[in-house]
Amino acid sequence: MNAREKRDRWKQLQRDLPTLATEVLVETKASFIDLNVDQLKKGERSGGGKIGRYKNPNGSYAKRKFRQNPAAGQGNVDLINLGDWSEKLDIDVEGRRFKELSRDDKDTMLTTNYGADIYGLQPNNLKAYRRDEYMPLLRRKAAKITNG
């Protein structure tokens, strides 16, 4: 490959990078969502704080939830019950923007009650996602363009 061809490939990468970035997000969204669900199972928001406490943290419902999922801790909300809401988590991509949501009917109610920060990744999980999933795939796709 001569210098002109190499330059042209790098220019193509520069033009295609936003599209590549979106493709990689779509292709790795299952890993992103799995990390988010792991946080929810611990009863944690994307900012790291607890989602909330049950009104009666020692009541029968809170005790049942704790037996069902001890990772969240006694009396802490985890947003995982039957799994309908968390199993329908998805990422919508529009242009260069993306939004995590659930396609379950409870989505609006849960977001209203607990806040939008039930979605997204905590900094340590975001770093792991980028390191282990997102960047390796983006690099491979970029290399296909630049190396031919």
Side-chain angles (χ1 to χ4, degrees), residues 16-59:
D16 293 350
L17 196 55
T19 303
L20 282 180
T22 301
E23 286 177 14
V24 170
L25 176 62
V26 170
E27 291 176 33
T28 61
K29 71 180 177 179
S31 298
F32 186 99
I33 290 168
D34 287 346
L35 288 167
N36 195 170
V37 170
D38 287 345
Q39 291 169 186
L40 295 170
K41 287 179 180 175
K42 295 175 189 172
E44 296 175 349
R45 302 173 173 280
S46 61
K50 290 293 184 184
I51 294 169
R53 304 265 303 152
Y54 292 113
K55 289 180 184 175
N56 184 357
N58 295 313

Side-chain angles (χ1 to χ4, degrees), residues 123-139:
N124 60 326
N125 283 337
L126 185 57
K127 184 177 179 180
Y129 165 74
R130 286 178 179 156
R131 180 191 66 231
D132 300 338
E133 301 288 335
Y134 186 85
M135 290 307 296
L137 183 56
L138 183 62
R139 284 186 194 104

Side-chain angles (χ1 to χ4, degrees), residues 8-9 20 23 51 66 92 98 124 142:
D8 290 346
R9 287 176 186 260
L20 282 180
E23 286 177 14
I51 294 169
F66 180 66
D92 265 358
F98 75 94
N124 60 326

Side-chain angles (χ1 to χ4, degrees), residues 55-116:
K55 289 180 184 175
N56 184 357
N58 295 313
S60 61
Y61 181 76
K63 287 179 181 177
R64 180 174 61 82
K65 287 290 292 177
F66 180 66
R67 284 191 306 273
Q68 185 182 26
N69 176 27
Q74 173 89 27
N76 292 320
V77 173
D78 63 7
L79 300 183
I80 308 290
N81 191 19
L82 300 175
D84 294 344
W85 177 78
S86 60
E87 288 174 3
K88 293 180 183 172
L89 288 174
D90 198 4
I91 294 178
D92 265 358
V93 178
E94 293 182 21
R96 293 184 183 181
R97 298 191 177 276
F98 75 94
K99 178 183 177 181
E100 189 178 9
L101 54 91
S102 177
R103 301 206 183 277
D104 187 76
D105 295 339
K106 295 180 287 299
D107 184 59
T108 302
M109 182 266 298
L110 291 174
T111 305
T112 300
N113 289 345
Y114 297 106

